[in-house]
Amino acid sequence: MLQEESDLSLIIAQIVQKLKGSSLYGQLERQAWASLQRPEIKLESLKEDIKEFFKISGWEKKLQNAVYSELSVFPLPSHPAAPPEHLKEPLVYMRKAQGSWEKRILKSLNSMCTELSIPLARKRPVGEQKELLNKWNEMGTDEPDLSLFRPVYAPKDFLEVLINLRNPNYENGDSLSFRTHLGLIQVPLKVKDIPELLRCDEQSSANVPMITLPPSTKSFSELFENEHVRIGQKVLAEQDSAAAQQYIRQGSPTALRAELWALILNISSQPEDILYYEQLKTNVIQHDLLVDSLIYKDVKLTASNDDYYFVFEDYLYQVLLCFSRDTSVLDHFAYNSASPPKSYIRGKLGLEEYAVFYPPNGVIPFHGFSMYVAPLCFLYHEPSKLYQIFREMYVRFFFRLHSISSHPSGIVSLCLLFETLLQTYLPQLFYHLREIGAQPLRISFKWMVRAFSGYLATDQLLLLWDRILGYNSLEILAVLAAAVFAFRAVNLMEVTSLAAAEAVLADLSTLKVMPLLQIFLFATVT
Amino acid sequence: MSRVSVPCHVKGTVALQVGDVRTSHGRPGVLVIDVSFPSIAPFQLQEIMFKNYYTAFLSIRVRQHTSMHTPAKWVTCLRNYCLMPDPHSEEGAQEYVSLFKHQMLCDMAKVLELRLILRQPSPLWLSFTVEELQIYQQGPKSPSMTFPKWLSHPVPCEQPVPLLEGLPDPSRVSSEVQQMWALTEMIRASHTSARIGRFDVDGCYDLNLLSYT
């Protein structure tokens, strides 16, 4: 009992400390001062009256949403003796692996810098600043020479690192035992099986039909759809984050999606937020970073070539360039196993007052990074709101897809979950693919690292990301990957090489996410 | 509750195994760690803290000081406490753990010696132990102070000194000054952890290459 009480007070103290730095705190204070004018606020019962006023005027709800947001993002406070690196990642060998992976990335970036003789950062001359400001909304028309740049790494390089991840205290012998990992991932993390995954799913029970019912029952599905939309509008009117998160587990109507996501992520476009975005834009105009060229190259290689996303090319530059300058992203490294790269001002090597992070947000983009932003462009058209939503999605979910950690939503656990689901529920398929040298993870890894962006049709992708927000977990990516393999199992059993297997699974754009998941979760288990 | 670290002497771990250690192929699944307190009198245990390293279950036995001349017996104070929910997987394998007096099965008033029995039934791990073991006893209660007589027994209210012309009421002034002082203390104590947002140093962001540390 004592322990729980002290844990609770520790959590409360942590959340209060965080919220004190937010704009909500200032707003609440101003509202409290303004409310003193109201007749119902009496001096004798000041505290109670102001609390009542907050409840009626909706400010209490805003505070509730902010607290709920903090609880969803920040991990619970750990043991007082645990050092900060333990909060980032509890397992020592994973921390080491992440450290050496980061070192490789830094070496690669440094060598690119010296080979091309381009500085990591450069202050733009005034003429260039004016020019960039003028074409801010059409940076896509620019055709800089990017042939010498290459992406720092691609998902397949990262996969090789994960394949070689080993726990030094684990029996990694050659002899087969009951726990030999037949897949590519060789670390014994705990992953869920289908009954456990469904238990998480309990709130959105199978009794409530999903949105996508087969066309033959059109009128029936329309009735459910209208009811669903009505409930969604009610949730939005209440402005309650927790309720919105529960609601979106059954998918979101297209018209309400943008507002629902903003409510769940606790994003409201205040004037300060727009001002903050403008400040980031100024930073982009003043300084030119090497990372900018990497972003340009990535957008040109991936999003610009995609049938759905090429129209949003300019938006992508506007979001990603500003993202690189945003120091508030550094806060997420407290619970991310990765660490931001560090450097010193020229001539001041080793002096801590001149130590800076590079890029300012600590995140080095890799090949395909811009695909995290592209689907959001369908929902948000105002750059500062689009930016805020992307930043929040990144610090809650996407960072886990490219750092080595033991977290259940981390990419290592997702890979192991995928392989385990396939082995358990489709053992023949798994065995066949393994025999022909086509380990399934080699094909599905790129889908999971990009959260299926660029592989699924956009409307299906957004339905998938609805569930990620609803369950606050990325495990559904692994389940969908296994479901895709299950769906194409018949064809896959006939292939005889990795290339042929890749060909069978090359095009996912016709797949419908929810029926696939339902078949896999409810029908495959017999 | 304040706590004070107790210096302890941790003897080497002893593996318990059936058969000869040298010739048998399996790895031991039970380890015993003895903890003694050579320079301390029998004390009241408050907390045991350690960092786990792949131990699945922990039992603790304690030997307490008895007033009579009977030899002190070993008593189990913690039985099969689970540190790893699934002994075959990494969950809980390297966590920091604290065990408190109220979780123990017996009273820990006069501890002489402790014996930690570690169990790891899974054959997948090469070794297991607990690290950074620290024992805490209850800290001293805040010392009782003796107040000077004039604080604990204030004299009965005197007649207030008649107000001088034009000067504000001293008691009102003193209470307002007190409130202001309290406000400044509060502002000083509450600092935010919000960032300023600058990534450069005095407008300069001209960098060396990235450092590998």
Side-chain angles (χ1 to χ4, degrees), chain B:
Chain B
M1 192 147 327
S2 65
R3 55 177 203 189
V4 168
S5 173
V6 178
C8 54
H9 173 66
V10 178
K11 299 204 190 113
T13 51
V14 174
L16 301 183
Q17 206 170 2
V18 173
D20 195 349
V21 174
R22 280 188 303 269
T23 55
S24 69
H25 295 291
R27 282 186 285 272
V30 185
L31 294 180
V32 177
I33 300 180
D34 270 328
V35 184
S36 64
F37 308 95
S39 46
I40 308 286
F43 64 95
Q44 177 167 63
L45 184 90
Q46 178 73 9
E47 183 185 340
I48 301 177
M49 195 176 78
F50 57 87
K51 181 173 187 294
N52 187 16
Y53 188 76
Y54 294 96
T55 306
F57 301 100
L58 175 68
S59 300
I60 303 184
R61 305 196 93 206
V62 65
R63 200 151 71 104
Q64 309 225 44
H65 173 79
T66 48
S67 47
M68 281 110 34
H69 292 290
T70 51
K73 277 193 334 175
W74 285 101
V75 179
T76 303
C77 59
L78 192 68
R79 184 163 293 147
N80 266 349
Y81 184 76
C82 180
L83 296 170
M84 284 168 66
D86 177 6
H88 297 303
S89 76
E90 301 262 12
E91 210 179 325
Q94 298 192 23
E95 286 301 323
Y96 286 84
V97 182
S98 266
L99 297 166
F100 295 92
K101 156 171 104 173
H102 62 83
Q103 291 171 275
M104 305 292 172
L105 296 167
C106 66
D107 183 26
M108 307 285 277
K110 292 198 177 129
V111 172
L112 274 177
E113 256 190 288
L114 283 176
R115 182 168 280 171
L116 276 72
I117 302 169
L118 314 176
R119 290 206 302 119
Q120 176 47 273
S122 169
L124 298 171
W125 310 110
L126 299 176
S127 72
F128 63 97
T129 182
V130 295
E131 297 168 343
E132 298 174 34
L133 186 62
Q134 282 182 328
I135 317 283
Y136 295 96
Q137 63 174 327
Q138 193 158 12
K141 288 197 173 48
S142 42
S144 55
M145 300 212 291
T146 52
F147 289 108
K149 191 158 177 289
W150 55 269
L151 260 183
S152 51
H153 300 292
V155 294
C157 269
E158 304 162 350
Q159 283 294 95
V161 179
L163 286 174
L164 293 175
E165 281 279 339
L167 287 176
D169 179 21
S171 51
R172 249 194 63 206
V173 170
S174 79
S175 77
E176 277 170 6
V177 168
Q178 258 194 336
Q179 279 178 8
M180 280 204 298
W181 175 84
L183 273 175
T184 52
E185 282 296 302
M186 252 176 52
I187 291 175
R188 202 149 52 108
S190 69
H191 58 278
T192 76
S193 50
R195 289 179 184 274
I196 300 174
R198 302 275 308 275
F199 58 81
D200 51 356
V201 177
D202 297 333
C204 171
Y205 196 56
D206 190 21
L207 301 174
N208 272 328
L209 292 178
L210 300 169
S211 332
Y212 321 116
T213 30

Side-chain angles (χ1 to χ4, degrees), chain A residues 265-278:
Chain A
L265 298 170
N266 204 31
I267 307 273
S268 54
S269 264
Q270 305 289 330
E272 304 89 86
D273 302 315
I274 301 179
L275 203 60
Y276 189 75
Y277 176 75
E278 291 297 318

Side-chain angles (χ1 to χ4, degrees), chain A residues 8 42 56 101 196 199 224 227 282 330 348 421 430 438:
Chain A
L8 190 60
K42 307 257 187 306
I56 300 171
W101 168 240
E196 282 169 327
R199 235 173 283 138
F224 278 119
E227 180 67 17
T282 315
L330 292 171
K348 312 276 188 205
L421 285 174
F430 188 85

